[in-house]
């Protein structure tokens, strides 16, 4: 930090400070700079330093400190207005508006003083010849704040009717204020219509669209435009996160989280801004503690009142305690404003904000956040009635079991709890034990035997055999296939004998026969080697026995229909084992259709997924997509969260592969949401977020994509997801950050990706990433780092045999050299190397297409060489040196034009561009006739009318300008 000895040095220091993050450190530096300015004994230096101090105070949480420098500035103006230059005169009048709003923000400043100030502002604006627009806008702000709605409407109309002049706020800021008024009057749609030019990027400024994005959240939610609300939150929060002055917008994002089931993210936002609880310099912004109270009330209402939450320093806080604290602070502060204003308007609005209820139960955002509330499986399991009646519970459990409804096992668990004190018969106790065994997995084998004994006691030998067969299957599932087969073989013989004697029914018999088929299928699936032909044949015979037994006998009995469907799916698996993918797919489709026909579509999901996998393997992406869509439809709310995540992620990948990025992003978002619900945020969720970020990037939604990819990278790991996924996420994030103008951060991510790709056998990605990192470093102004990165990329391109990018790396280094220490001489050397490398590659190329591409590359290189030489002349002081540079540049332009000419129609625009560049050089060298001839040549190349080619139109326009410049006296 150099010593400040003159006004120029002071200005450089203030410009540097203005680029620092908002906050106390920047404010403190502004105070030091004011002291430095006073030592210069230059009135304008003090004026500029006071203006700088006022500005940094205004854009911080210390707004109350801006009144002192403004009062001093106003006094200096009144005493010696001639000390102010035009810019500082404009600035002084501009910040009158800040004073009006700043006074309104401080409840200790009487309303009468504010009204008096409005009069002073109006007087001074009139003297300076300014429009009333800013004055009426300030009056509107006062009236709207105190709730004088009639006056506010009059001032609003007068504000919009007055002429816009240099004192008017920018279009973006004015539209924000106008839209906010519409929202306060209950006109959400009109507000969003007003804000559209800001949201679409037509108007912007240093603080817009930041505040418009935040203000739009609540109206969008109320209007049900949830996708836009989600996008505005991700895009807008990224903008306001680093800005201390954006406290109100930050609070809007906290409120959004509270209203959309994203309470945990709301807590994360609060944890990022501890000063949110302690800043005192801008009291009106502390009314936003209402958003904190809203969030804490929401958590308390969800049963999380005792959860630890971020709060004011010095103690720990629970959600319940912070809710009380925030509500008290917001209402007390609102009371101070209302006493000052003489109306209850501020307090009414604060209380209404704290009373808002959720507008969406859960709006997935795509970024990772821990759930504040444990996810409940949908649909909700049946609840036990108060004072449960065992008979009623039994009836309900049997209904659920017989129709294969979800949560049948939970219903039987409720029966078991209610039956502890009840006197039940052996049949009832058998069913309870049977279903408890099903719920216990391998630990339930003994219970199956207990159930079998009770069924036998109840006089149902067939169901006793079925229970024991279920136990055998459980043993097979856990590796005891041989023992299970031995057991089920005897049960199979027994049940067939009973069925032949009509001593049991088809349902019980089918249960045993199906268990046997399942165990034989386990034999097929066990081990990594292909199943033996004998095992395949035995399994197929067993499966066909199931079909022979139940087909045509199901009627309305869901269980038997499901047996047939399951058997069909087993045949599909066997066909797949045999390599008959087409037959397998057809059987899986039939099995799924039978489950749907039986009224249990959720059982069809896994088979539709199998169809999708087979279609994918066959290259039938359309078929895979159809099957996955059907699986999502059939699964409804019955599939477990992890299964839903997998389904949506597969669908996203298939849809994304055919270029439908918007719909693919919707499914990736769902996948991320359900992965979080399943507790798989760091595994499946990270993969879904990586995909979502890529799909958002493809749509040009760079800020949203960046937020999502940053969230994904927190969990992506090479060991879990693969190095390719990690590299791709860094790559995409670098692309997003580059589009957002965050070039240094973009370079960091591209370099990280390049570092991983360095160890890959194929070096194409490594070279590309090194080149992209160099571009980002150059855009960030890091010249030396960019040159090293381009040099590394050039080495990689050379090793890969890619002359085009070797040449482009050298050209880029040439332009960097012109800005660096080596200057024009180093730049010329690098451009000469680029020309030589391209000429060597062209000489070695035999393929006509390759020669054509290299000819175009060489022409571009000569053109850039010419531009560089002409640019370098601006650094020279001697006329002869400048003339020499222009002559050398002209040679390069002629070479470029000639090479473009070889390319015919493909090189037309390149040739005319080089001709015009040469024409301007001719003019600068004092050769108007030659310059005019080149311009005439370009005009002759393009027709004067009838072309929609924008480049052709631009070339004709420039040629006309060049001709005009060659006229005598021009």
């Amino acid at each position: 930090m150099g010593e400040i000895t003159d006004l120029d040095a002071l200005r450089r220091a203030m410009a540097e400070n203005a680029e620092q993050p908002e906050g106390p450190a920047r404010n403190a530096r502004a105070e030091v700079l004011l002291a430095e300015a006073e030592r210069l004994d230059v009135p304008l230096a003090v004026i500029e330093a006071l203006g700088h101090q006022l500005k940094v105070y205004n854009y911080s949480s210390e707004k109350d400190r801006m009144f002192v420098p403004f009062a001093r500035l106003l006094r200096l103006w009144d005493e010696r207005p001639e000390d102010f230059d035009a810019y500082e005169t404009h600035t002084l009048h501009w910040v009158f508006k800040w004073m009006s709003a700043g006074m309104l923000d401080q409840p200790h400043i009487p309303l009468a003083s504010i009204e008096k100030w409005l009069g002073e502002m109006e007087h001074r604006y009139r003297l300076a010849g300014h429009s009333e627009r800013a004055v009426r806008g300030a009056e509107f702000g006062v009236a709207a704040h105190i709730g004088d709605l009639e006056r506010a409407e009059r001032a609003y109309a007068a504000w919009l009717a007055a002429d816009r002049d240099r004192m008017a706020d920018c279009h973006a800021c004015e539209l924000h204020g106008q839209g906010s008024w519409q929202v306060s009057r209950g006109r959400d749609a009109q507000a969003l219509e007003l804000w559209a030019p800001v949201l679409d990027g037509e108007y912007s400024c240093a603080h817009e669209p930041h505040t418009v994005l935040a203000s739009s959240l609540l109206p969008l939610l109320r209007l049900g435009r949830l996708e836009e609300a989600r996008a505005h939150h991700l895009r807008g929060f990224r903008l306001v996160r680093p800005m201390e002055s954006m406290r109100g917008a930050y609070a809007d994002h906290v409120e959004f989280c509270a209203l959309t089931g994203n309470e945990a993210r709301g807590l994360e936002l609060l944890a990022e801004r501890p000063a949110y609880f302690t800043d005192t310099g801008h009291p009106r912004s502390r009314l936003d503690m209402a958003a904190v109270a809203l969030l804490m009330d929401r958590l308390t209402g969800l049963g999380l009142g005792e959860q630890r939450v971020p709060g004011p320093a010095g103690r720990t806080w629970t959600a319940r305690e912070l809710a009380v604290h925030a509500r008290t602070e917001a209402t007390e502060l609102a009371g101070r404003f209302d006493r000052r204003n003489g109306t209850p308007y501020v307090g009414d609005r604060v209380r209404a904000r704290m009373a808002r209820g959720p507008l969406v139960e859960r709006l997935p955002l795509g970024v990772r956040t821990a759930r504040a509330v444990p996810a409940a499986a949908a649909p909700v399991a049946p609840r036990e009635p108060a004072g449960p009646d065992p008979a009623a519970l039994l009836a309900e459990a049997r209904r659920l079991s017989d129709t294969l409804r979800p949560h049948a096992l939970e219903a039987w668990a409720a029966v078991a709890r209610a039956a502890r004190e009840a006197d039940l018969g052996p049949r009832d106790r058998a069913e309870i034990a049977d279903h408890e065994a099903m719920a216990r997995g391998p630990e339930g084998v003994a219970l199956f035997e207990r159930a079998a004994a009770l069924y036998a006691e109840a006089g149902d030998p067939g169901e006793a055999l079925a229970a024991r067969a279920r136990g055998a299957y459980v043993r097979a599932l856990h590796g005891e296939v041989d023992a299970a087969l031995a057991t089920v073989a005897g049960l199979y013989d027994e049940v067939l004998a009973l069925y032949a004697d009509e001593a049991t029914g088809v349902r019980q018999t089918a249960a045993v026969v199906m268990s046997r088929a399942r165990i034989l299928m386990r034999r097929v699936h066990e081990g990594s080697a292909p199943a033996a032909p004998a095992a395949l044949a035995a399994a197929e015979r067993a499966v066909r026995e199931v079909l022979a037994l139940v087909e045509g006998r199901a009627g309305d009995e869901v269980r038997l229909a499901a047996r047939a469907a399951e058997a069909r799916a087993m045949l599909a698996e066997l066909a797949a084992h045999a390599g008959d993918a087409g037959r397998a797919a057809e059987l899986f489709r039939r099995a799924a259709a039978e489950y749907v026909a039986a009224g249990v579509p959720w059982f069809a999901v896994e088979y539709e997924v199998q169809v999708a996998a087979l279609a994918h393997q066959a290259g039938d992406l359309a078929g895979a997509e159809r099957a996955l869509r059907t699986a999502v439809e059939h699964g409804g709310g019955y599939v477990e969260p992890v299964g839903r995540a997998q389904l949506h992620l597969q669908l996203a990948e298939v849809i994304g592969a055919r270029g439908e990025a918007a719909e693919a992003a919707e499914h990736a978002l769902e996948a991320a949401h359900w992965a979080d619900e399943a507790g798989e945020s760091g595994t499946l969720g990270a993969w879904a977020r990586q995909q979502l970020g890529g799909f958002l990037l493809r749509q040009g939604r760079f800020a949203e994509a960046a937020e999502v990819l940053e969230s994904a990278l927190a969990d992506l790991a090479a060991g879990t997801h693969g190095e390719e996924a990690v590299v791709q996420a860094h790559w995409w994030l670098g692309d997003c950050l580059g589009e957002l103008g965050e070039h240094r951060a973009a370079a960091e991510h591209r370099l990280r990706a390049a570092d991983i790709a360095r160890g890959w056998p194929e070096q194409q990605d490594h070279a590309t990433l090194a080149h992209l990192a160099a571009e980002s470093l150059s855009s960030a102004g890091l010249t030396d780092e960019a040159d090293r990165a381009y040099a590394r990329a050039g080495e990689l391109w050379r090793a890969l045999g890619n002359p085009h990018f070797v040449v482009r790396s050298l050209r880029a280094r040439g332009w960097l050299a012109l800005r660096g220490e080596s200057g024009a001489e180093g730049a010329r050397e690098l451009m000469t190397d680029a020309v030589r490398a391209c000429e060597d590659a062209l000489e070695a190329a035999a393929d006509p297409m390759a020669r054509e591409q290299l000819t175009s590359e060489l022409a571009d290189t000569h053109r850039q060489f010419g531009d560089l030489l002409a640019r370098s002349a601006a650094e020279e002081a001697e006329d002869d040196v400048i003339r020499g540079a222009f002559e050398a540049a002209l040679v390069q332009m002629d070479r470029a034009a000639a090479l473009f000419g070889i390319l015919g129609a493909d090189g037309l625009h390149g040739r005319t561009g080089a001709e015009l560049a040469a024409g301007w050089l001719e003019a600068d060298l004092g050769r108007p006739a030659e310059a005019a001839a080149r311009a005439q040549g370009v005009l002759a190349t393009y027709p004067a009318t009838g072309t929609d080619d924008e480049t052709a139109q631009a070339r004709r326009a420039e040629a006309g300008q060049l001709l005009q410049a060659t006229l005598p006296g021009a």
Side-chain angles (χ1 to χ4, degrees), residues 492-503:
Y492 169 77
D493 291 339
E494 289 184 56
V495 82
L496 288 183
L498 286 175
Y499 184 62
D501 291 340
E502 299 184 355

Side-chain angles (χ1 to χ4, degrees), residues 529-581:
L536 290 170
E540 182 171 352
R541 285 194 301 272
V543 172
R544 292 195 180 279
E545 283 188 47
V546 175
L547 283 172
L549 180 65
V550 300
E551 275 194 312
R553 295 184 175 87
D556 295 332
E557 189 169 346
V558 175
R559 278 184 178 275
L560 290 181
R563 297 284 188 216
E566 184 181 355
R568 199 88 57 199
M570 288 176 174
L571 290 177
E573 292 178 46
L574 292 169
H577 268 282
D580 190 346

Side-chain angles (χ1 to χ4, degrees), residues 837-862:
C838 201
E839 289 174 340
D840 290 346
L842 181 58
E843 184 177 346
D847 179 67
M849 182 175 293
R851 291 188 60 81
E852 183 176 319
Q853 292 171 344
L854 285 165
T855 299
S856 177
E857 196 74 64
L858 182 57
D860 280 332
T861 304
H862 280 298

Side-chain angles (χ1 to χ4, degrees), residues 189-208:
Q190 291 91 323
L192 291 164
E193 187 175 342
L194 279 167
W195 288 332
V198 182
L199 296 170
D200 294 342
E202 183 179 346
Y203 300 125
S204 64
C205 68
H207 291 82
E208 293 297 351

Side-chain angles (χ1 to χ4, degrees), residues 202-515:
E202 183 179 346
Y203 300 125
S204 64
C205 68
H207 291 82
E208 293 297 351
H210 313 43
T211 55
V212 164
L213 285 165
S215 297
S216 70
L217 295 172
L218 184 60
L220 286 169
L221 290 175
R222 285 195 293 235
L223 292 171
R225 293 160 62 174
L226 303 184
E227 174 61 27
E228 291 172 78
R230 175 195 299 113
H232 288 198
H233 170 65
L234 294 177
R235 178 182 164 202
F237 182 67
R238 185 175 189 83
L239 293 172
V240 304
R241 175 186 273 143
M243 302 180 73
E244 188 184 55
S245 62
M246 296 273 95
R247 182 189 181 111
Y250 201 98
D252 288 340
H253 286 281
V254 173
E255 178 184 43
F256 167 83
C257 292
L259 298 177
T260 59
N262 288 287
E263 299 84 7
R265 180 166 171 83
L267 292 178
E268 291 171 4
L269 268 56
L270 290 183
E272 282 190 35
R273 292 288 286 271
Y276 195 97
F277 302 103
T278 56
D279 294 339
T280 59
H282 187 203
R284 185 153 65 149
S285 74
R286 288 186 62 75
L287 293 171
D288 290 320
M289 288 297 282
V292 179
L294 175 66
L295 177 62
M296 297 304 133
D297 282 343
R298 174 67 178 152
L299 287 168
T300 302
L302 292 169
L304 298 168
E306 303 311 310
Q307 179 172 320
R308 288 273 296 275
V309 295
R315 56 160 290 186
T316 59
W317 294 86
T318 66
R320 193 185 314 278
E321 291 166 341
L322 187 58
V324 173
H325 171 81
R327 183 180 297 101
T328 299
E329 182 159 325
T331 52
E332 287 182 352
L333 183 57
R336 290 172 57 197
F337 278 103
D338 285 344
R339 287 190 293 275
R340 190 271 302 274
N341 299 339
T343 71
Y345 190 69
V346 173
D348 288 346
R349 288 174 63 81
V350 165
R351 285 183 287 274
R353 187 179 197 183
M354 292 189 292
R356 284 179 184 140
L359 296 174
V360 183
E361 182 179 349
R362 176 77 160 150
L363 177 62
L365 301 178
V367 292
R368 180 182 183 179
T369 186
R371 272 195 62 85
V373 186
V380 178
R383 295 187 177 184
E384 299 172 45
D389 173 17
L393 290 175
L394 265 170
E396 176 64 6
R398 284 173 177 148
R399 183 189 69 81
L400 293 174
S401 292
D402 289 343
T403 56
L404 300 179
R405 299 294 108 177
H407 303 296
L409 291 179
E410 288 92 327
W412 280 106
V415 172
R417 289 191 295 272
R420 287 173 187 150
E421 305 300 326
D423 183 19
L424 298 178
R427 175 72 192 201
D428 299 336
R429 287 184 286 128
E431 290 182 79
I432 292 171
D434 200 359
H435 289 90
E436 184 179 350
M438 294 178 198
R440 285 196 181 185
E443 299 175 2
V445 174
L447 269 175
F448 279 121
E449 293 296 330
R450 167 71 176 154
L454 288 167
Y455 279 128
E457 183 182 343
D460 191 342
E463 201 64 63
L465 294 173
R468 292 179 62 199
R470 285 190 282 272
Y473 176 55
V474 169
R475 293 177 67 186
L477 284 176
H478 293 85
E480 300 180 46
V481 177
D482 290 339
L485 275 175
T487 299
V488 83
L491 302 173
Y492 169 77
D493 291 339
E494 289 184 56
V495 82
L496 288 183
L498 286 175
Y499 184 62
D501 291 340
E502 299 184 355
T504 192
V506 68
R507 175 172 164 174
Q508 292 85 348
T509 307
V512 177
V513 176
M514 177 56 83
S515 291

Side-chain angles (χ1 to χ4, degrees), residues 3-18:
E3 183 181 358
I4 295 175
T5 57
D6 55 29
L7 183 55
D8 286 340
L10 175 68
R11 286 170 173 167
R12 286 194 296 273
M14 289 190 297
E16 181 181 325
N17 193 46

